[in-house]
Every structure is written in C-alpha cells, then in structure tokens.
Amino acid sequence: MINVGQIGGNYLTSPWLLVLLDDGTRRRISLSEISQTRDGKTPVRMLGNMPDGGLARLEFVIGAVQHLLAPETSSDWLDRFFAPPPPDDLDGLINDSCLPPYFDLFGKIPAFQDTSIADQSPQSVSSLFLLQAGEQTRDRNQDIWGKAITGVGLWEVMEALYALQIYSPAGGRGARTSPSGGGPLRTFLMGDTLWTTVWSNILLKADWEALGNKARDVPSLVPWINFRTDAPTPADSPATHLFWACPRRILLSQPVDGICEITAEAGPVVCEIRMAAYGPDYKSDLWRHPLSPYYRMKKGGTVQRLPRLGGAMAYGVSWRDYVGLFQEKGEAGDAGVEPALTVRAWRQERAADTGVETVRVQVFGYRCDNAKVLGTVAAAMPFLAVEPSVEAEFSGIVEKVVDGTGGLASALKRQSLLALFDQKALESVPLSYGNQMEADYWARTEPLFRSFSRQVRDHLVAGGAPNDQPVMDLLNNLHTEAGKMAVRLFDERVDVGQTDNPERVVTAKRTLLGAVHGAPVRRAFGLPVEEKTAKGAGKKAGAAGKKSKTKEQMA
C-alpha cells in the first residue's frame, strides 16, 4: 500500500514542472525554481506531455505568481523583469501564503477535486484527457487513439487534472465550463527565459484584484476548500478563481505502483477517477481572464463581452489575427475585439520599458464542438510593438491591410474551388480543403506584412502622417505583391491541363484577377479608386458635346 503522504504531488512545492534548462537538459523543478535552479541553472521554457506542450503548466505558474508576487507599480514590475527572485525568496512567499496544504493532490482537501463525490462509480483515468474518446465513441469503434490510457504517473495526472479544469469544454448534461468559457483561447507572451515568460504575463496588483472581489482569506482564494455548485461571480469571489476554478467535479482514486503509460516511468500511478456533473456554473460574460482575448457583441443598446474560444478561430492562426490578438478594434461601447489584458499591457507600456521591440505570442486552445474535442489551435507569432504616440494611426493602417488581404484570401479560395469543381459539387467538398488554401495564403504573405508594418512604424515615428505619399506607396506595393501571391497560389493549385473543363478554369482566373484589381479590395487597402459613375458621366458629357457640335456644324 502506497503512503500518499510520502509521495509528494503538491502543485506549489513538488518538482512537477518539466522544463528545458539553459544547458540543453530537461529537468523537473518546483515552483520556487522558475527563475533559477538551486544549482545555478536557468530554466528556458516549460515542457509538457499534453497537446498543449506544457502551456497548462505554464498557466498554473502564471496564476500562482500573479497571486503570490503581484507588483504594486509599473516600476516594481520592471525591476522584477530584470532581477527575478531567487529560489529561497519564492520558497518564503509560498510557505508564508498558508496555501501549500490545500494544493496537495492527495491531501485532506485534495487540490482541484471534490471529496463529496466519493460515492460515485469509478471510471478510467483516461477521462482526464481532453483528446481521449468517450465511451460512446469507443462503442462505435471510432477511437483514433486505439486504446484507453489506464495508468498515469503523478506529475502527468497533475498536469491533466489542471488542464481539464481550465479548458473544460461545453456539452453534456451538467458539464460546466471555466470562467473563460469552454475550450477558451489563450495568448501567452513568450520571453527568452521561463522567468521573463511568466513575468511578462503578470498584471499589476490593482488590475489583478479588480477582476474579483479582493477577498484574501484562504477559503475564499481556494475554490475547492468549500466546493461550490452555484454560480460564482466576480462580486462574491476573488480573481484566483480565474486560474484555480474547478468547473468539473473530480476525485482521484488512490495511486498504486505501476508504470506511467505516458512517460514509461515506474512509480505511483493513478488508474481510476470519479466524476459528477453540475459543478460551479461560471458565467463567462461576467469574468475576465487576463490571458484570453475577448470580443464584444452589441444587441440593442447592450454590449456583452465574451471570451474567444479555440473552436471559433479560423483554420491556421496567422497575421490575419493581428487585430484581436494584439490590438483592439472598435470603441469600448460598441462591437469589436480586444486582446488579452496582459498583451494590452505589454503593447501599451512594457514593450517600451523593457526595450523588447518584437515579442512572440504563443496562441493555444482546444477546438471543441460542444463536448467533442476536435483538435487544437496552436501558433507562435512575432508581434511588433509601436510607440504609444503613433499606435492609433498604426492600428488604423493595420486594420486596412488585414481587411484588404482578407478580401484577396476569400477570392482566392472561392475561385480556386470553382476552377477545380463543378458548382453543384461544391457542397460535398470538405471545408478543410478551402480553409487550407486560405491558411497557406496568409502564411505566404506574412513576410510581406512584417516588412510593411516595420516601414510604416518607422515612418510614423519619424513624424510622418498616416495618409502621406510614402504610406500610400507602401500600401500600393503591399496590395500589388499580395495580389501577385494570390494569382501564384491559384496557378499552383489549379492546372488547366489536368481539368475536364478548361473554360471553367479560365473564367475563375479572370474573376480572381478582377477581384485583385477591383474597387472593393483597393478600397479596403485604403487606396484610391476610380469612380465609374464619374467616368461614365464624363463619357456621356463628351458624347453630348460631340453631338451638339455636329448639329452646329450641320446647321
């Protein structure tokens, strides 16, 4: 019989965090070593064995540091960015918080679990894993994994349990979702070391506490001490619920000796868990997760802010998502999109304070269709920060080129499909086929956008205006090159010699060229458009003049 009191499994004190060190080796460390290990090594980034690649572990660390070490001022934040706390200081903060007893996987009050469901029937530990198939899928022999996971080591159970709570998808009777919705999208600012990554995603103390009710007693901070099944709100719960919420009622069975089927390591493994429906009912329009981008809907005179979900993202995250993931669109009282609070803080102030011109943003989420997890949304993109004095002008120009390029991407997809397939057969073409075309186009035009955005930024910083001729020249060049790329990709996808209807191909390409040079796309780019009405009126006027002259000559 395993003595659970001696095996560890504490989120705050155990070495459950798998990291890459600066010497190229991998190691498991505890929370206190995220800036430096006790033998002087520097953790570079978080690793993991789940589809998120360690991002669930990273999110836990960000939440813990946000609560334990929230900076009072921008100056405090900047000081800590360059001078991280040593392990002993973090150890002191953790122990003084009185939280460790409540973060033990098998403690008296087990972390992220509900002890009231001990009478539920046990089920396989594979239910913890979001990409594992359910019983109905296995009964229908539709499980792509081939077998269920039957034994998982403690460190991997800790990772999977936390990931299920923060990403919990919707669907199924009584299946509750997190404060940021089911399958929420996350954006992480990535630094050169694990510490700069974590600290880049930390809000100032006042901004953090404003996301909840500012309660500081331990039973309020830790949701599973007094496990609730009502609807917690920011008015009656502190902001720690954003990182520590338990929408799923889960209880792990006691571990046994075995081999982890994920890492192949021998030791204590968990084979069964218990689950129950109807956990706390978090309303995602009331909460604001600092790592999630949001969108605003306006119905009548009411504006509702909702988290962006992984399932709602277009196939192939790319620079088309610059607006929304890195900058706002729309006024606060109107419909629009907003980046995560941490991204906004970086863009508006911290990029300039740290001197980091380009920051990498890691995007992740599960693509869910209610209870079914279809896959993941994952991308890492560099974003160029601009000085606050020119941000409004820069953002306006970026919106134009994203809209204009989006028009070209849509035309490319539509005309490629019409060239390849008979119009009546389009309904049977998988959506992923056309979506891949669009994703490829955005990926191939990304270097064009990077160069364009840097030149526009430099022009504005130098005192230029957003409608100066140099900007118009840059817009015209980007439109030209993006149009050429659309035609090039069409030619790569469509071979007129291998189609049963060459006329269909010729017509589709002619239509694509018309879209590339047409008024809607040029107008979206902010380029001048020759007004056909005026031109037609001029022709009519000229014809009338000639007719009048002829009459005079004839007279």
Side-chain angles (χ1 to χ4, degrees), residues 457-475:
R457 190 276 311 268
D458 293 345
H459 171 78
L460 296 174
V461 170
N467 55 354
D468 282 351
Q469 189 58 46
V471 174
M472 300 306 294
D473 291 342
L474 289 171
L475 285 168

Side-chain angles (χ1 to χ4, degrees), residues 11-12 14 16-19 29-35 46-47 54-69 90 94 103 112 162 166 188 194-195 197-199 201-202 243-244 291:
Y11 282 90
L12 296 179
S14 294
W16 73 287
L17 303 170
L18 183 63
V19 298
I29 64 171
S30 63
L31 179 62
S32 63
E33 297 179 282
I34 56 174
S35 64
M46 193 74 73
L47 302 175
L55 292 177
R57 284 174 168 160
L58 176 61
E59 182 165 338
F60 176 83
V61 171
I62 291 170
V65 172
Q66 179 70 79
H67 172 68
L68 295 169
L69 197 60
L90 286 174
I94 294 168
F103 279 81
F112 299 103
Y162 183 70
I166 61 174
F188 300 89
L194 179 57
W195 171 256
T197 292
V198 171
W199 198 243
N201 293 283
I202 299 298
F243 287 100
W244 299 342
L291 300 179

Side-chain angles (χ1 to χ4, degrees), residues 121-449:
S121 300
Q123 53 187 283
S124 170
V125 70
S126 64
S127 298
L128 282 180
F129 297 86
L130 287 167
L131 289 179
Q132 278 281 297
E135 292 182 9
Q136 186 180 70
T137 302
R138 290 198 185 94
D139 291 343
R140 294 175 177 176
N141 198 30
Q142 296 175 336
D143 180 12
I144 62 173
W145 287 74
K147 66 183 291 290
I149 298 173
T150 58
V152 184
L154 297 191
W155 309 140
E156 280 60 48
V157 163
M158 293 170 71
E159 182 180 17
L161 175 61
Y162 183 70
L164 179 58
Q165 297 289 18
I166 61 174
Y167 291 118
S168 53
R173 181 177 296 177
R176 303 301 195 196
T177 60
S178 75
S180 49
L185 194 69
R186 296 284 196 255
T187 50
F188 300 89
L189 294 157
M190 307 301 286
D192 294 331
T193 66
L194 179 57
W195 171 256
T196 55
T197 292
V198 171
W199 198 243
S200 295
N201 293 283
I202 299 298
L203 297 177
L204 296 184
K205 187 174 184 178
D207 296 332
W208 163 243
E209 292 185 341
L211 300 177
N213 71 351
K214 301 184 181 180
R216 296 183 181 179
D217 60 291
V218 173
S220 295
L221 294 171
V222 182
W224 54 90
I225 292 179
N226 298 310
F227 204 98
R228 298 171 59 175
T229 54
D230 58 352
T233 72
D236 61 31
S237 307
T240 52
H241 281 238
L242 291 164
F243 287 100
W244 299 342
C246 297
R248 298 299 179 92
R249 302 175 69 190
I250 299 170
L251 183 63
L252 303 179
S253 296
Q254 294 296 298
V256 297
D257 284 322
I259 296 178
C260 175
E261 294 186 15
I262 296 177
T263 64
E265 295 175 354
V269 298
V270 175
C271 299
E272 293 181 331
I273 66 171
R274 288 168 170 80
M275 300 183 76
Y278 298 106
D281 188 12
Y282 290 95
K283 305 298 184 184
S284 61
D285 61 331
L286 300 179
W287 293 87
R288 183 75 188 271
H289 198 291
L291 300 179
S292 283
Y294 282 71
Y295 69 97
R296 298 185 305 272
M297 287 194 313
K298 189 170 184 179
K299 291 184 177 180
T302 304
V303 176
Q304 185 180 32
R305 179 191 284 120
L306 294 166
R308 299 182 69 180
L309 305 181
M313 293 297 292
Y315 185 84
V317 179
S318 65
W319 69 272
R320 66 173 146 189
D321 301 297
Y322 190 101
V323 178
L325 295 186
F326 200 67
Q327 75 176 44
E328 291 87 353
K329 181 176 183 179
E331 298 297 326
D334 207 343
V337 290
E338 305 173 10
L341 293 173
T342 50
V343 172
R344 177 188 291 173
W346 180 272
R347 197 188 73 235
Q348 293 181 345
E349 182 178 6
R350 293 173 175 177
D353 290 345
T354 59
V356 179
E357 183 181 75
T358 302
V359 64
R360 185 165 63 94
V361 175
Q362 178 70 50
V363 181
F364 181 80
Y366 283 93
R367 194 180 294 279
C368 303
D369 179 11
N370 291 323
K372 184 182 294 184
V373 180
L374 304 177
T376 61
V377 176
M381 296 177 290
F383 286 96
L384 178 69
V386 301
E387 286 75 355
S389 60
V390 300
E391 187 180 55
E393 292 84 356
F394 180 83
S395 297
I397 295 171
V398 168
E399 282 187 33
K400 289 179 183 178
V401 300
V402 169
D403 288 346
T405 309
L408 292 174
S410 296
L412 169 63
K413 179 174 78 170
R414 174 68 178 169
Q415 298 310 317
S416 296
L417 291 173
L418 287 174
L420 293 167
F421 306 99
D422 183 86
Q423 192 161 5
K424 295 179 180 179
L426 284 181
E427 291 183 4
S428 61
V429 177
L431 289 175
S432 59
Y433 189 83
N435 291 340
Q436 185 62 57
M437 291 183 189
E438 277 194 298
D440 290 346
Y441 177 71
W442 285 101
R444 297 274 287 271
T445 54
E446 184 169 337
L448 300 174
F449 174 72

